[in-house]
């Protein structure tokens, strides 16, 4: 049992670590040559370009202005300063609502902190149960529920407090659900015209002997939505084309590289070998060789394009159907079209950036099978992942390696290498697995056939949360592999489970406090430092970057990463709610995490992360549901704990809590969830009417015609035009964001001016510019 | 353990009982004075009238034609002869599909019978496990899985057979789901115009300070469905009016009675006392008194009607909104209307007969609370119902009664009464509870706020099934009260449960065989005899019937009673599937039940039951789901059973079965269920187009205007007109059925003619009439 001193020491260590990270961040971000690592969002928006070529050579790489270092923590107030509506304009609703999860954490736990410290801490402290018993205890335990004697009437206080926590959490959740639902509707309402507002994705178009897919779609919708159908775009299987375009792109990069090389040193034509990686093979003139190759690929691409468009086998039985009005699209997306409910399936089209093109043509039966397979696979992954990991670990011992690869023996016998293998390798298998886990879960979601990236991330997030719940939370509490837990679960009685876990809960408080500090405090500080992207960027910059375009590509802004970030927050909600009543001492640590992470992620969202898609906060029902789940789990565990405390008189009062909580959830589900799934006709009609009044002569057909062309086609179209290569991708994003964004970033690295305060982006400056 | 001889004896007893019931039925149904008991359906359709007043006095009551008695079993082929399409015309799709559940039972269990008898019976029989053991066993057990030695490889046969049973059942289920879905769509498609095709029920109309509900509805739909909105009908709270109309009706009946009496005996004006039940109070002239009362009530009704229509408080925030096209209604029913998803809730209107008017105005929040309350109440009802029953039983003992009601002492001390109380009374409390149970469940469903009678019955059915599963099936298998089971369930490990139940399964085979014979064979035969309606009809006829209209009302055709009948069938599916592999001997008994019940219920549906509403087989997903549930339970129990048989090598092969079954269920749910919930736009458009071509000048508004007037208004409208009193109710039904029905029933009691064969209805005769 750790004492308060131990905890204090751990806190100090983690605070210092976090402080070092923050300091390093503050210094690194001011250096011009790191600009693309710490402000990629502004580059992506086209509001910032590479550090100016003017100025001294040194100042291109290092910021020499000492004043900027003095205000090294100023990014914090800056991150908080951007108001929410502007943040929505800047980074999208998804990001803004994602930040609200941290805020919700603060809203939930601040009143809980005051309540529990005011009431439960004195109640727990003024007992001598632990002192009288022979148990090994610390002052932390004196503050927790463990210090209450068996069967004491003081447990009523905990029951009452549990009600208070539940009611407060539900109240906060309801308020938040309401706000987010309104924000979503407001966002959809006030948004500019977007193609997905008019478009519905139709899957499983039945094959027809006489008609092509395109004709079938047109006929079907002309008949069944005569007043509303406008146009459609069939989905094509462009995987081969996509490969060819990729190849050509790479060749073009090499060509530019060799041309640059030749320009610098005109005395020698650059030569290369044609074999693998340029290691062997015939030696040829590199520029000519690449030109010839590009020529060849261009022809192949043209052929393949022809083929995809004309070959009926490349046309998938799916189409994006656009309507004349939002009302028509809303109707089509929400209704069943055909007698056979597995044909002509309609759903809202995701926005073009969000579509996951590869999964568009999976037939209905296969979907059921895939779903089931993945459910089973996930079950085994969660409960049996330890088996392959243990197997790899068994291989990774010294004797094993020597036996299997005897030629390595001389190397292994070297002392430091031996020490490394013995001490580090066994653990590394598990570590690698855990690092790969989000990717594995994402692949599983993709295999399942979900149709948009946002959906994929949501599914992965809920699986990641479950995995964490069993393998991080439960495994930490009952200390045993999950396999053993599963065994307990099957062998033990159902009613015993909360008891088993409940009893272990107070004893694990210090462990979780440490966990919060390491993962939540230092981890979050590490996130803002972006050590990995920083190193990778500079490595790429040094070894691989040949052209300015490559530098653009070497910049890895990353994204919020809903599929890993949200489950992490949820774990804190779970721990926080469970310990709120049991060990009130833990709450402040959770609060520090929420506050700090809120600031950090706000900064990252403003300056770093790229917005890959916009799902208009479609993930909120998941967030809400998981917090409710955590609430119910915390109630069950408290019941189990009190059950062993011989508090027979007070425990039954807890029975109503989970029922009430589930009732509350049902209510919220009915009241707010439809706002995240459907699009009310009233809204659609309102927007249609407004638009008709404003732009009576709008050419909607022209606007929608190519909105849902697969991105690869757009890339393939801009054939030899280098600069426009990604125009197809970006054009749409610009359509959307350039209008919405009112802010500009300075064109060069942050140099403190009279107005600016040395941190970027400079708000006052911008606000002044905005003023007429 | 019962021997085959014991089973044979029980079978003989039950067969004789059933035979006696059938004989009694065959004789009773031929008597003219029972005509209204055994052929009410034909009376309701207006195709048959009371036995002719011509003929001798005796032949009005007794059928003297001896020939008709010779063919007393002819009703069976007659019941089978009516083809299904005609049956749908005659009794509705619900009834026709309901019969298909019995047919499905035959389809599932006949191949299972052959398979298991051909393979499992020899395998089980050729062992000597039971003989070698000291166990007390019978020949029945020799045929069951109990006879296989521990750890034998023969269990593989059972595993394989379990796969065969599962695959065959799933195949039959899929075929049937497909057929029923098609029948439903075909029915909806070929049906005549019905008001509910054009109408949507809108609930939770938000209150508006400036507009009445009616105005708000009109404005909302004119704005949001401008091209499709036609008209609407607000829902009024007419409970008081309903009471007044009821009262007036009863007074009118009395008036007619007294007038008849006076006519027959003109010498004396009938007198009555005004007090309670005519037992005391002032003596007045009965005819005058009633006339005055009716006059008074008529005025009150007129006032109340005025009040209901004009008083905004009597208008509920709900309305039936009708559209110009089926397409418009289909769109409105399937989409979300308003920003707030708990306002302007739309759903398909049930057909007017099916609407449960009282629940139309329950607000959204209240619905969640009610749902939750009822879920909790049902949980307690299922697991704790035994407590109040036991309490009543404890009251019903001799000393208890003597103590509480000492004045009864002299009566109780009489020997036969004492014997009765001691021997019978304790059991009677449980019996009464079980008889009342369907009513209790129905009241619970009503309280929950479901909006149509068909929905109420479906909900009650699923609860009744669950209750039966725990309190009939499980309680019989593990022999203990459900409370004890619940205790086991909570205390024992989850994986142990299938074992505990699985082990008990083979031992209970004889019990269930007896259960099937008593409940399934004799019970079904008792159903066709209609003893209770027969007695009640004659009692009413003798004591209460004053007018011809009263006689009409004394006739109680009953209905299929989905809420009790379907759970009973499901119990047989459950037993049949569980024992299919364990004790193949049981299957034939199940088969006899399905075959016999099919014939009996087909007869009843044709001749007796009144069709109270038409839900177009909306119940099939429930039926399908419960059979799947039974299949999974049977697989789990077999796993548990084999687990204790030390068949460790074969048991794991069963693991895949429940997963496959659940996957199959998911597939079916996606593939066929939408056909039972939504109405495809394609269908709607097709019907609209056809109708527009056929009847271009249709006055749809006139047709729909009063379709959803609450029935009580229609009754109240036909103010003093006696004969038309129920026209409002019946007119609609006639619109529908008179066209569809091509058959006529003979106007008088069944007298064998040259063509007819003495059973009713006479098919050949009708078919000949139909010919031109």
């Amino acid at each position: 049992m750790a004492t308060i001193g131990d905890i204090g020491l751990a806190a100090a260590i983690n605070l210092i670590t976090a402080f070092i990270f923050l300091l390093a961040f503050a210094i690194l971000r001011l250096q011009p040559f790191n600009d693309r690592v710490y402000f990629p969002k502004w580059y992506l928006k086209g509001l910032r370009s590479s550090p100016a070529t003017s100025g001294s050579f040194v100042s291109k790489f290092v910021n020499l202005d000492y004043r900027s270092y003095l205000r090294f923590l100023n990014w914090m107030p800056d991150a908080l300063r951007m108001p929410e509506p502007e943040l929505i304009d800047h980074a999208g609703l998804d990001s803004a609502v994602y930040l609200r999860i941290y805020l919700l954490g603060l809203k939930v736990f601040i009143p809980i902190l005051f309540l529990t410290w005011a009431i439960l801490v004195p109640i727990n402290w003024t007992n001598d149960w632990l002192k009288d018993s022979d148990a090994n205890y610390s002052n932390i335990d004196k503050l927790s529920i463990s210090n209450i004697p068996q069967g004491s009437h003081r447990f009523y206080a905990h029951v009452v407090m549990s009600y208070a926590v539940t009611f407060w959490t539900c109240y906060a959740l309801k308020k938040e659900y309401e706000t987010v639902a309104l924000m979503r509707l407001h966002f959809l309402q006030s948004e500019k015209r977007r193609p997905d507002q008019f478009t519905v994705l139709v899957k499983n178009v039945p094959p027809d002997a006489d008609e092509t897919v395109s004709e079938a779609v047109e006929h079907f919708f002309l008949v069944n939505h005569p007043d509303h159908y406008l146009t459609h775009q069939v989905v094509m299987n462009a995987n081969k084309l996509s490969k060819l375009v990729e190849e050509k792109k790479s060749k073009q990069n090499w060509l530019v590289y060799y041309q640059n090389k030749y320009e610098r040193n005109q005395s020698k034509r650059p030569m290369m070998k044609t074999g693998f990686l340029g290691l062997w093979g015939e030696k040829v003139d590199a520029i000519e060789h690449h030109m010839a190759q590009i020529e060849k690929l261009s022809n192949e691409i043209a052929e393949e394009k022809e083929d995809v468009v004309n070959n009926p086998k490349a046309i998938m039985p799916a189409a994006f159907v656009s309507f004349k009005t939002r009302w028509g699209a809303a109707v089509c997306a929400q209704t069943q079209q055909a007698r056979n409910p597995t044909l002509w399936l309609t759903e809202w089209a995701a926005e073009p950036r969000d579509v996951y093109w590869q999964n568009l043509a999976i037939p209905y039966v296969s979907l059921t099978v895939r779903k089931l397979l993945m459910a089973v696979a996930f079950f085994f992954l969660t409960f049996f992942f330890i088996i392959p990991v243990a197997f790899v670990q068994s291989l990774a011992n010294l004797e094993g390696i020597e036996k299997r690869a005897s030629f390595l023996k001389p190397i292994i016998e070297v002392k430091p290498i031996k020490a490394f293998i013995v001490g580090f390798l066994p653990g590394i298998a598990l570590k690698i697995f855990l690092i790969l886990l989000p990717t594995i879960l994402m692949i599983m979601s993709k295999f399942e056939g979900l149709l948009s990236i946002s959906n994929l991330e949501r599914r992965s997030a809920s699986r990641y949360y479950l995995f964490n719940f069993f393998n991080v939370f439960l495994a930490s509490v009952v200390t045993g592999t999950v396999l053993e837990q599963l065994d307990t679960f099957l062998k033990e009685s159902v009613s015993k489970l909360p008891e088993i876990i409940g009893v272990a809960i107070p004893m694990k408080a210090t462990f979780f406090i440490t966990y919060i500090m390491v993962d939540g405090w230092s981890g979050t500080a590490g996130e803002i430092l972006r050590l990995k992207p920083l190193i990778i960027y500079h490595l790429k910059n040094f070894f691989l970057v040949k052209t300015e375009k490559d530098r653009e590509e070497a910049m890895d802004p990353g994204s919020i990463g809903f599929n890993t970030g949200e489950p992490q927050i949820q774990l804190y909600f779970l721990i926080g709610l469970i310990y709120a009543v049991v060990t009130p001492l833990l709450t402040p640590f959770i609060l520090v995490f929420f506050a700090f992470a809120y600031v950090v992620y706000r900064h990252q969202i403003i300056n770093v992360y790229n917005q890959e898609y916009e799902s208009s906060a479609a993930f909120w029902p998941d967030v809400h549901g998981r917090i409710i789940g955590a609430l119910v789990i915390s109630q069950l565990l408290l019941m189990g704990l009190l059950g062993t405390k011989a508090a027979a008189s007070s425990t039954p009062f807890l029975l109503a809590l989970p029922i009430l909580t589930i009732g509350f959830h049902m209510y919220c589900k009915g009241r707010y969830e439809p706002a995240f799934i459907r699009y009310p006709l009233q809204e659609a009609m309102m927007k249609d009417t407004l638009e008709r009044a404003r732009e009576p002569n709008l050419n909607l057909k022209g606007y929608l015609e190519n909105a849902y062309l697969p991105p690869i086609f757009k890339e393939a179209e801009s054939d030899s035009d280098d600069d426009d290569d990604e125009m197809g991708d970006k054009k749409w994003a610009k359509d959307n964001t350039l209008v919405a964004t009112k802010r500009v970033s300075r064109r060069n690295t942050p140099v403190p001016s009279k107005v600016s305060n040395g941190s970027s982006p400079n708000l006052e400056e911008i606000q002044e510019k905005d003023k007429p």
Side-chain angles (χ1 to χ4, degrees), chain A residues 689-738:
Chain A
T689 315
L690 261 172
E691 193 175 73
R692 220 175 293 131
R694 274 194 204 139
E695 298 175 73
N697 300 318
L698 176 71
N699 177 12
L700 199 57
K701 196 164 182 173
Y703 173 71
L704 290 172
E705 216 151 36
N706 285 321
Y708 279 94
L709 207 61
I712 201 67
F713 269 79
K714 295 183 187 166
E715 281 182 44
E717 245 154 45
S718 57
D719 219 352
S720 57
D721 187 344
D722 247 12
D723 299 324
D724 278 358
D725 214 34
E726 283 174 78
M727 271 303 285
D729 264 349
K730 280 195 179 165
K731 210 179 114 203
W732 186 86
K734 270 190 196 154
D735 277 2
N736 227 22
T737 47
L738 272 189

Side-chain angles (χ1 to χ4, degrees), chain A residues 268-497:
Chain A
K268 200 179 120 205
R269 295 282 293 181
M271 303 298 278
M272 64 172 287
K273 291 175 181 160
T274 54
F276 178 71
L277 279 180
L279 292 179
W280 48 74
E282 207 188 337
K283 228 175 172 177
V284 292
D285 183 300
I287 294 179
E288 272 168 29
H289 174 74
H290 275 104
M291 276 181 152
Q293 291 254 316
I294 288 168
E295 180 70 28
K296 209 180 111 204
L297 277 169
S298 290
N299 291 338
E300 272 178 52
I301 287 172
E303 259 173 57
E304 178 65 24
K305 254 178 83 180
E306 197 95 338
D307 199 50
V308 165
V309 175
N310 296 322
N311 183 357
K313 272 181 194 159
I315 307 282
M316 300 179 184
F320 290 94
V321 178
S322 297
F323 292 83
K324 284 179 195 149
T325 55
R326 290 175 183 84
W327 194 91
V331 160
C332 184
Q334 293 178 48
T335 50
Q336 188 187 336
Q337 307 305 313
R339 188 177 259 224
N340 181 337
T342 63
L343 297 179
W344 298 104
L345 295 177
T346 54
E347 55 181 273
W348 273 110
E351 58 156 24
R353 286 185 290 176
D354 193 12
V355 173
Y356 188 71
W357 298 91
Q358 286 91 315
N359 280 349
L360 281 175
I362 300 173
Y364 186 80
V365 182
S366 161
L367 276 183
T368 315
V369 175
R370 281 157 178 249
K371 218 168 157 183
L372 197 70
L373 270 180
M374 283 305 104
V376 174
F378 178 66
F379 176 83
F380 281 95
L381 183 71
T382 306
F383 290 102
F384 299 100
F385 82 96
I386 208 73
I387 294 174
V389 168
F391 177 70
V392 173
Q393 281 174 346
S394 77
L395 288 188
N397 62 9
L398 221 54
E399 292 77 33
I401 293 175
E402 283 181 7
K403 231 191 242 164
R404 275 176 200 78
S406 50
F407 61 90
L408 285 176
K409 207 169 176 178
I411 304 171
I412 290 173
E413 290 299 320
V414 178
K415 258 270 160 90
I417 294 180
K418 192 171 173 179
F420 175 81
I421 291 175
V422 171
F424 200 58
L425 218 58
I428 218 165
L430 180 63
K431 204 77 200 157
I432 288 174
F433 170 80
L434 289 179
I435 289 169
L436 289 180
L437 184 65
T439 319
I440 297 173
L441 291 175
M442 202 64 176
I443 292 170
M444 283 170 64
S445 306
K446 280 176 184 169
F447 181 79
E448 219 177 313
L450 298 171
L451 292 176
S452 63
I453 299 167
S454 55
N455 242 322
L456 290 170
E457 291 201 343
R458 284 209 294 283
R459 176 64 53 89
S460 302
S462 68
R463 292 217 168 115
Y464 194 49
Y465 176 69
L466 280 177
F467 188 93
N468 275 345
F469 175 72
F470 285 108
N471 292 305
V472 174
F473 176 73
L474 276 193
S476 306
V477 170
V478 296
T479 4
T481 67
V482 221
L483 250 175
E484 287 165 21
Q485 290 168 39
L486 189 70
D487 202 47
T488 324
F489 177 66
L490 288 175
K491 291 251 174 70
E492 284 298 328
S493 82
V494 184
S495 62
K496 272 262 172 76
L497 279 183

Side-chain angles (χ1 to χ4, degrees), chain A residues 17-34:
Chain A
T17 316
F19 187 75
I20 291 171
F21 282 163
L22 290 183
L23 203 68
F25 164 69
I27 293 166
L28 287 173
R29 70 192 274 274
L30 293 177
Q31 311 313 322
F33 68 99
N34 288 332

Side-chain angles (χ1 to χ4, degrees), chain A residues 24-288:
Chain A
F25 164 69
I27 293 166
L28 287 173
R29 70 192 274 274
L30 293 177
Q31 311 313 322
F33 68 99
N34 288 332
D35 212 47
R36 272 180 187 274
V37 178
Y38 292 111
F39 302 98
K41 176 84 181 159
W42 300 99
Y43 283 91
L44 284 172
K45 297 200 96 172
L47 296 174
R48 189 173 187 131
S49 57
S50 283
T53 38
S54 68
S56 76
F57 181 76
V58 176
S59 72
K60 257 171 87 178
F61 296 99
V62 184
N63 188 346
L64 295 175
D65 190 323
Y66 69 93
R67 283 167 299 177
S68 53
Y69 293 99
L70 293 179
R71 290 180 287 250
F72 71 97
L73 275 179
N74 269 18
W75 61 268
M76 281 191 174
D78 279 353
L80 295 176
R81 213 171 280 153
M82 188 188 265
E84 199 171 45
E86 234 184 293
L87 186 69
I88 295 173
D89 278 352
H90 178 70
L93 186 66
D94 278 347
S95 314
V97 171
Y98 184 78
L99 287 176
R100 290 189 75 98
I101 310 179
Y102 295 103
L103 273 189
L104 179 64
L106 292 175
K107 282 179 205 158
V108 166
F109 287 109
I110 288 176
I112 288 179
L113 176 75
F114 284 114
L115 254 181
T116 51
W117 279 64
I119 296 170
L120 288 187
V121 166
I123 287 178
N124 292 340
W125 183 261
T126 53
N127 282 288
D128 289 325
W129 175 251
L130 286 173
K131 205 167 149 198
D132 295 346
S133 74
D134 299 333
N136 190 2
Y137 73 98
S138 76
N139 283 341
I140 290 173
D141 294 314
K142 275 204 75 175
L143 287 170
S144 88
I145 203 171
S146 314
N147 200 27
I148 309 273
Q150 294 283 97
S152 160
H153 281 300
R154 294 196 174 195
F155 285 120
Y156 276 109
H158 298 85
V159 172
V160 170
M161 205 46 61
S162 179
Y163 270 88
V165 167
T166 301
F167 277 113
W168 172 252
T169 310
C170 285
Y171 175 76
L173 277 173
K174 184 178 174 301
K175 275 272 160 220
E176 199 65 22
Y177 214 152
E178 204 169 323
T179 315
V180 173
L182 272 179
M183 279 171 76
R184 177 182 161 93
L185 285 172
H186 182 76
F187 181 72
L188 294 175
Q189 175 81 338
S190 65
E191 233 180 350
K192 258 201 56 136
R193 186 167 51 245
R194 294 197 334 189
D196 49 315
Q197 293 168 338
F198 296 90
T199 308
V200 162
L201 171 62
V202 181
K203 288 186 302 176
N204 294 24
V205 176
D208 192 310
D210 304 323
E211 291 182 319
T212 66
V213 172
S214 180
E215 285 165 352
V217 169
E218 182 151 21
H219 288 171
F220 185 86
F221 285 94
L222 272 177
V223 168
N224 293 305
H225 295 265
D227 306 330
H228 308 287
Y229 170 76
L230 181 68
T231 179
H232 72 275
Q233 172 77 52
V234 289
V235 175
M236 283 164 281
N237 185 346
N239 291 346
K240 199 185 159 195
L241 183 65
S242 163
K243 232 176 78 190
L244 289 173
V245 171
E246 278 304 308
E247 215 179 315
K248 189 183 154 196
K249 246 164 114 180
S250 137
K251 297 273 189 232
Q252 274 170 331
N253 277 342
W254 279 105
L255 179 63
V256 173
Y257 167 72
Y258 284 117
Q259 280 171 336
N260 285 350
K261 203 173 168 187
Y262 181 61
E263 262 167 43
R264 262 176 258 145
N265 177 9
Q266 299 227 348
S267 63
K268 200 179 120 205
R269 295 282 293 181
M271 303 298 278
M272 64 172 287
K273 291 175 181 160
T274 54
F276 178 71
L277 279 180
L279 292 179
W280 48 74
E282 207 188 337
K283 228 175 172 177
V284 292
D285 183 300
I287 294 179
E288 272 168 29

